């Protein structure tokens, strides 16, 4: 009994410490006769941060969803008034981006009619070093008439969503729920099944630096140089320029083939200009923001998947992707008729057309990846790197002709390069299919299926290298060593991925594989947490039937600290045994984007809110039943108590003071054991 009194006292004291940690307000300004801007002003207390709209590596990004719009259309995407802070997070093996203290988001709209109306909501995720708030939405609704620009059509910044929290001695942040909070639909806690929706969002992918983009393009260019469509052309082209220069040298009597070198360098620069223009055309036609929007669109991800799959199969030799021969002949004819720089430029353009079957898969992959990077110059800078690498051999061999004698001769090794590229391209195409699979909830490409396909692809690639080893028959030592090494690396990579079928993290490829939450095979493996319930009442009924207490894990797919706890604490064998054997685990994801069959209106803190997704439902459930609003949040419950679907706190059933983020394994074990002791003694 005294434990329950302590829990009640703890909750009461937490509710007295109301400190607004994160708050957002919104207002609208008309900036032109046919233009308005909606502003979202966010303020964060010390230690708290809100994730950027460009965040794509795990945490919940700031997104804007328009539910209704008339007489206006969006211009661009949601933007921030400052650059985000970047920090590497080991749990996601990537940089995350966020804002501290304050941030001002804005969305521009163009008015298309004399009257307009727009409704929607801004959703954001916020964390500190110890806890995360669930995704919080800020509803807004504006309507008006187009008129002369004003300083502000609504200077009053309506406070529509304020996250209130407090920090206790146990670092548990508490969201205050007023007494008038009520549920207008008591079925809110009932199980719901619905197909996932893909909302129109301004979320963008994490933006790499220009140097990273340039280096990625450079690597692609060097790979393209080694293909059968480019490498054999290098000595022929350089020899042509040097012979033409020698003829000029004989006429002028000069001692150095300056003209041959100059023509080869001009040829290389022409290649750079052509591919640079290609990158600029892609950016100008679509724009970085439009390309990024496509990168998160399920239909276009399917298109990218099919595009890269076709490119990959072509590299494997099933067919060749070639441009009409009339194009090449026409450009080649023009080049022979012209003289000077224009002639050399047309020769470079001929190379681009002739090598299309080998370079198109690499260029296509780079344009998809770099064009959707979120960086406004991504495609152009990537193509610059690609072209520099492609042009460099022509320039270097012209400057140092003696190197041509020691350069590797064309041969079967170039076929191995094409096969390798084909296998890699097919493997990477699955990444885009995975995005669409997750968006629509098809579950055809869960993590273990994805890994199986990669294992098959790279196992077959290893077999191909091994076959080349036996074919070489020691006759070509260099080829023998290269193929043997490649075979070893392929099989080693396969061996690395195999444990991932049963839940191993495989961190080296975690950026490409579906999330661990889609994994199925690891659930009954030794040393893992067994399959949890995803619905509160289903879990309660199972616990009553087995006579066990309940452990609720309020978590999120994008919760950084949740993943840290799972990696640092739940991997402990004693923790796993207690949770698996002694408790019924219920995991409730507060950022589950699966749509509810019907939106639910609730009144909270005197304001009406709309619950649109299963994540909204569980987030509200956490606040209204347990008075807390952060993740991870662990609650131990006595399943023998009475739980209603109406209003009321469930703190009467709590076995032990709830825990939040804390990587102390010994303390976590004590927390679980204390809950069991209380359950057995009651």
């Amino acid at each position: 009994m005294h434990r329950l009194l302590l829990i009640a006292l703890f909750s009461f004291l937490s509710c007295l410490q109301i400190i607004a940690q994160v708050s957002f307000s919104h207002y609208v300004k008309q900036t032109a006769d046919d233009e308005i801007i909606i502003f979202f002003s966010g303020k964060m207390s010390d230690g708290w941060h809100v994730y950027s709209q460009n965040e794509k590596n795990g945490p919940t990004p700031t997104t804007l969803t328009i539910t209704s719009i008339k007489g206006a259309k969006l211009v661009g995407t949601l933007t921030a008034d400052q650059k985000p802070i970047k920090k590497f997070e080991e749990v996601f093996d990537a940089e995350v981006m966020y804002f501290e203290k304050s941030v001002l988001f804005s969305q521009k709209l163009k008015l298309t009619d004399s009257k307009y109306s727009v409704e929607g909501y801004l959703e954001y995720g916020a964390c500190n070093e110890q806890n995360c708030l669930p995704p919080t939405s800020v509803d807004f609704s504006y309507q008006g008439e187009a008129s002369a620009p004003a300083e502000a059509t609504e200077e009053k910044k309506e406070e529509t969503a304020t996250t209130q929290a407090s920090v206790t001695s146990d670092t548990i942040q508490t969201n205050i729920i007023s007494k008038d909070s009520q549920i207008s639909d008591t079925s809110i806690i009932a199980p719901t099944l619905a197909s996932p929706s893909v909302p129109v969002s301004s979320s963008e992918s994490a933006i790499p630096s220009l140097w990273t983009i340039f280096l990625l393009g450079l690597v692609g260019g060097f790979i393209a140089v080694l293909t059968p469509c480019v490498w054999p052309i290098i000595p022929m082209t350089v020899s042509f320029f040097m012979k033409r220069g020698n003829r000029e040298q004989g006429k002028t009597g000069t001692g150095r083939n300056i003209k041959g070198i100059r023509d080869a360098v001009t040829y290389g620069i022409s290649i750079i200009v052509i591919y640079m223009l290609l990158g600029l055309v892609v950016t100008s036609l679509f724009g970085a923001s439009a390309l990024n929007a496509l990168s998160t669109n399920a239909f276009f991800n399917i298109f990218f998947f099919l595009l890269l799959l076709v490119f990959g199969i072509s590299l494997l030799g099933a067919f060749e992707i070639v441009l009409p021969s009339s194009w090449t002949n026409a450009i080649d004819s023009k080049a022979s008729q012209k003289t000077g720089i224009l002639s050399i430029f047309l020769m470079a353009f001929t190379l681009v057309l002739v090598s299309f079957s080998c370079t198109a898969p690499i260029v296509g992959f780079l344009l998809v990846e770099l064009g959707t990077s979120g960086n406004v110059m991504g495609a152009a800078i990537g193509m610059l790197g690609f072209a520099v690498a492609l042009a460099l051999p022509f320039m270097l061999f012209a400057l140092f002709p003696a190197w041509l004698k020691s350069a590797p001769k064309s041969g079967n090794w170039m076929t191995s390069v094409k096969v390798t590229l084909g296998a890699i391209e097919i493997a990477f195409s699955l990444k885009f299919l995975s995005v669409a699979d997750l968006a629509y909830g098809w579950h055809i490409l869960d993590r273990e299926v994805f890994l199986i396909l990669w294992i098959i692809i790279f196992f077959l690639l290893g077999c191909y290298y091994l076959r080349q080893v036996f074919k070489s028959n020691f006759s070509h030592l260099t080829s023998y060593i290269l193929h043997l090494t490649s075979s070893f690396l392929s099989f080693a990579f396969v061996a690395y991925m195999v444990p991932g079928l049963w839940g191993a993290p495989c961190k080296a490829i975690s950026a490409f594989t579906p999330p661990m939450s889609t994994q199925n095979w690891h659930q009954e493996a030794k040393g893992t947490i067994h399959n949890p319930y995803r619905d509160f009442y289903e879990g309660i009924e199972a616990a009553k039937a087995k006579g066990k207490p309940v452990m609720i894990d309020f978590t999120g797919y994008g919760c950084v600290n949740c993943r840290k706890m799972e990696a640092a604490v739940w991997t402990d064998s004693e923790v796993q045994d207690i949770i698996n054997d002694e408790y019924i685990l219920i995991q409730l994801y507060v950022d589950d984007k699966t749509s509810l069959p019907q939106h639910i209106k609730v009144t909270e803190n005197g304001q009406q809110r709309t619950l649109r997704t299963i994540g909204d439902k569980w987030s509200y459930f956490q606040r209204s039943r347990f008075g807390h609003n952060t993740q991870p949040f662990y609650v131990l419950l006595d399943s023998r108590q009475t739980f209603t679907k109406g209003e009321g706190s469930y703190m009467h059933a709590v076995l032990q003071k709830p825990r939040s983020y804390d990587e102390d394994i010994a303390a976590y074990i004590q927390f679980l054991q204390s809950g069991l002791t209380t359950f057995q003694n009651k």
Side-chain angles (χ1 to χ4, degrees):
M1 185 67 183
H2 68 282
R3 291 181 182 273
L4 294 179
L5 290 175
L6 286 174
I7 292 170
L9 180 61
F10 165 77
S11 302
F12 176 74
L13 291 175
S14 297
C15 292
L16 292 179
Q17 302 173 1
I18 304 176
I19 303 176
Q21 302 290 8
V22 181
S23 65
F24 266 89
S25 60
H26 60 80
Y27 59 99
V28 65
K29 285 185 178 181
Q30 184 169 352
T31 54
D33 290 345
D34 61 346
E35 180 182 279
I36 62 172
I37 300 178
I38 302 176
F39 293 94
F40 300 90
S41 178
K43 295 181 180 179
M44 293 77 79
S45 297
D46 291 343
W48 285 83
H49 52 261
V50 169
Y51 289 102
S52 167
Q53 78 277 20
N54 298 323
E55 180 54 56
K56 195 63 177 178
N57 290 320
T60 303
T62 301
T63 60
L64 180 69
T65 300
I66 301 297
T67 57
S68 174
I69 184 169
K70 294 179 181 179
K73 63 179 181 179
L74 298 180
V75 178
T77 58
L78 189 71
T79 58
D81 65 337
Q82 58 189 276
K83 290 184 178 180
I85 298 170
K86 296 182 180 180
K87 180 183 178 182
F88 184 83
E89 287 283 2
E90 290 185 3
V91 68
F92 291 109
D93 194 27
E95 276 189 336
V96 297
M97 300 186 291
Y98 55 83
F99 302 101
E100 291 183 338
K101 296 185 178 180
S102 66
V103 64
L104 183 67
F105 293 107
S106 60
Q107 174 64 59
K108 186 182 296 185
L109 289 88
K110 182 178 179 63
L111 304 181
T112 58
D113 203 345
S114 58
K115 293 184 178 181
Y116 71 88
S117 65
V118 57
E119 295 182 8
Y121 58 93
L122 181 85
E123 187 175 62
Y124 65 90
C127 292
N128 64 4
E129 290 299 323
Q130 297 168 322
N131 290 283
C132 294
L133 295 169
T136 306
S137 61
V138 183
D139 294 336
F140 66 89
S141 175
Y142 288 108
Q143 57 184 2
E145 297 183 7
S147 60
E151 281 299 313
T153 59
E154 189 175 359
E155 284 297 336
K156 181 182 178 181
K157 300 180 181 181
E158 179 187 358
E159 297 289 341
T160 55
T162 302
T163 304
Q164 297 175 321
S166 62
V167 184
T168 70
S169 58
D170 290 309
T171 68
I172 298 177
Q173 275 60 33
T174 306
N175 191 68
I176 308 307
I177 309 300
S178 64
K179 293 181 179 179
D180 64 347
S181 293
Q182 59 183 5
I183 303 177
S184 60
D185 183 351
T186 56
S187 66
I188 180 175
I189 310 303
T192 57
L193 295 174
S195 59
S197 63
V198 187
V200 180
S201 167
S202 62
S203 173
E204 298 180 67
S205 61
I207 301 178
S209 69
L210 291 178
W211 276 113
T212 302
I213 291 174
F214 178 80
L215 291 175
L216 185 59
L218 202 68
V219 171
F222 283 130
I223 293 173
V225 167
L226 301 176
T227 60
C229 308
V230 178
W231 186 260
I233 298 176
I234 295 175
M236 292 189 297
T237 306
V238 172
S239 297
F240 170 77
F241 286 131
M242 301 310 290
K243 288 178 181 178
R244 190 165 74 170
N246 284 330
R247 289 197 296 269
E248 293 293 328
Q249 177 185 339
K251 293 178 182 179
T252 60
T254 56
R256 181 173 171 79
N257 192 352
I258 300 298
K259 178 173 174 52
I261 295 174
R262 185 185 63 196
D263 287 350
V265 171
T266 304
Y267 184 80
I269 294 174
S270 298
I271 294 173
I272 295 173
V273 170
I274 291 169
Y275 280 104
M276 184 76 172
L277 287 173
L278 175 62
L280 289 172
V281 167
V282 170
T283 300
S284 61
L285 285 178
F286 298 99
S289 59
L291 283 169
N292 185 263
L294 294 182
S295 73
T296 58
N297 182 284
F299 292 107
F300 277 92
N301 271 282
I302 295 174
F303 171 75
F304 293 151
F305 157 69
L306 293 174
L307 180 69
L308 295 182
L309 183 63
V310 169
F311 281 154
I313 294 174
S314 73
L315 286 172
L316 292 179
F319 53 86
E320 278 198 1
I321 303 174
V322 294
L323 295 173
S325 57
S326 58
W327 293 11
T328 307
N329 294 335
I331 297 298
D332 191 40
S333 175
K334 290 287 183 182
S336 60
Q337 295 173 11
K338 302 294 180 180
T339 57
I341 294 178
L342 181 58
S343 171
I344 297 173
F345 181 84
L346 291 173
M347 287 179 63
F349 197 63
T350 303
L351 169 70
V352 173
L353 297 179
V354 169
S355 63
F356 183 81
S357 61
C358 292
T359 58
I362 303 172
V363 171
F365 178 75
L366 287 173
L367 287 177
V368 170
E369 281 292 304
L370 301 176
T372 58
S373 66
N375 199 309
V376 67
M377 293 298 292
I381 297 300
M383 285 298 97
L384 173 63
F386 177 86
V388 167
L390 196 64
L392 203 58
F394 293 95
M395 299 182 187
L396 290 177
F397 285 133
L399 290 170
F400 307 100
W403 289 4
L404 278 173
K405 296 179 181 179
S406 57
K409 305 299 180 184
S410 302
N412 292 332
W413 62 271
M414 289 185 296
T415 304
S416 298
V417 172
K418 283 189 67 176
V419 170
T420 303
L421 287 176
I424 293 175
E425 195 123 350
I426 292 173
F428 274 91
S429 72
L430 295 175
K431 170 191 171 185
F432 295 96
L433 180 60
S434 174
V435 173
D437 180 64
L438 290 170
Y440 285 103
W442 296 330
H443 297 294
I444 61 174
L445 202 62
D446 288 341
R447 188 172 183 270
E448 61 269 24
V449 177
F450 186 98
L451 287 173
I452 287 173
L453 293 175
W454 270 40
I455 287 171
I456 292 173
I457 290 170
F458 288 99
F459 177 79
L460 292 176
L461 184 62
C463 291
Y464 169 81
Y465 289 137
L466 201 59
R467 182 170 179 268
Q468 299 305 309
V469 169
F470 291 124
K471 284 178 65 176
S472 64
N473 197 27
F474 299 97
S475 56
H476 298 89
L477 184 60
T478 302
S479 175
Y480 178 84
I481 294 174
L482 285 175
H483 282 110
L484 185 63
T485 302
S486 299
S487 176
F488 172 78
L489 292 175
S490 296
F491 289 134
F493 186 48
V494 168
Y496 172 78
M497 290 188 289
V498 167
L501 296 175
W502 291 274
C506 297
K507 292 184 178 180
I509 58 173
S510 60
F512 307 104
T513 60
M516 188 69 75
S517 58
T518 66
Q519 183 87 20
N520 292 313
W521 289 7
H522 76 290
Q523 292 166 349
E524 296 302 324
K526 183 179 179 181
T528 60
I529 301 298
H530 290 174
N531 187 28
Y533 288 87
R534 295 296 178 87
D535 179 85
F536 175 75
Y537 274 96
E538 286 183 2
I540 287 292
E541 291 303 317
K544 286 182 177 180
K546 296 181 180 180
K548 291 183 178 182
V550 163
M551 174 180 170
I552 304 179
D553 171 25
F554 287 102
T555 183
Y557 294 112
C559 174
V560 179
N561 293 325
C562 300
R563 303 293 86 77
K564 288 181 178 178
M565 286 293 290
E566 291 165 7
V569 179
W570 282 20
T571 52
D572 180 81
S573 58
E574 188 173 354
V575 171
Q576 293 168 351
D577 290 341
I578 296 174
I579 295 176
N580 289 332
D581 300 337
E582 306 296 340
Y583 285 93
I584 294 297
L585 176 62
I586 304 175
Q587 281 191 302
L588 303 179
Y589 285 80
V590 300
D591 57 358
D592 188 335
K593 296 300 182 184
T594 304
S595 295
L596 291 169
Q598 291 182 339
H599 293 172
I600 301 172
K601 299 287 185 180
V602 298
T603 301
E604 183 176 13
N605 295 329
Q607 296 180 349
Q608 192 175 68
R609 289 194 60 217
T610 301
L611 308 181
R612 300 178 175 87
T613 65
I614 287 179
D616 291 344
K617 179 182 70 173
W618 294 134
S619 177
Y620 180 75
F621 175 63
Q622 180 187 1
R623 300 193 304 273
S624 63
R625 295 300 188 272
F626 301 102
H628 298 271
N629 195 34
T630 57
Q631 291 78 46
F633 188 69
Y634 307 104
V635 184
L636 306 180
L637 289 181
D638 186 345
S639 59
R640 299 167 299 191
Q641 299 295 316
T642 301
F643 301 93
T644 63
K645 292 186 179 181
E647 274 305 302
S649 170
Y650 287 167
M651 295 303 291
H652 67 281
V654 174
L655 297 170
Q656 183 67 19
K657 185 169 64 177
R659 283 186 69 83
S660 185
Y661 172 75
D662 186 351
E663 294 186 18
D664 188 335
I665 296 177
Y668 199 84
I669 292 173
Q670 185 179 3
F671 161 69
L672 296 174
Q673 293 287 11
S674 298
L676 286 174
T677 301
T678 304
F679 179 77
Q680 294 164 0
N681 291 339
K682 289 181 65 173

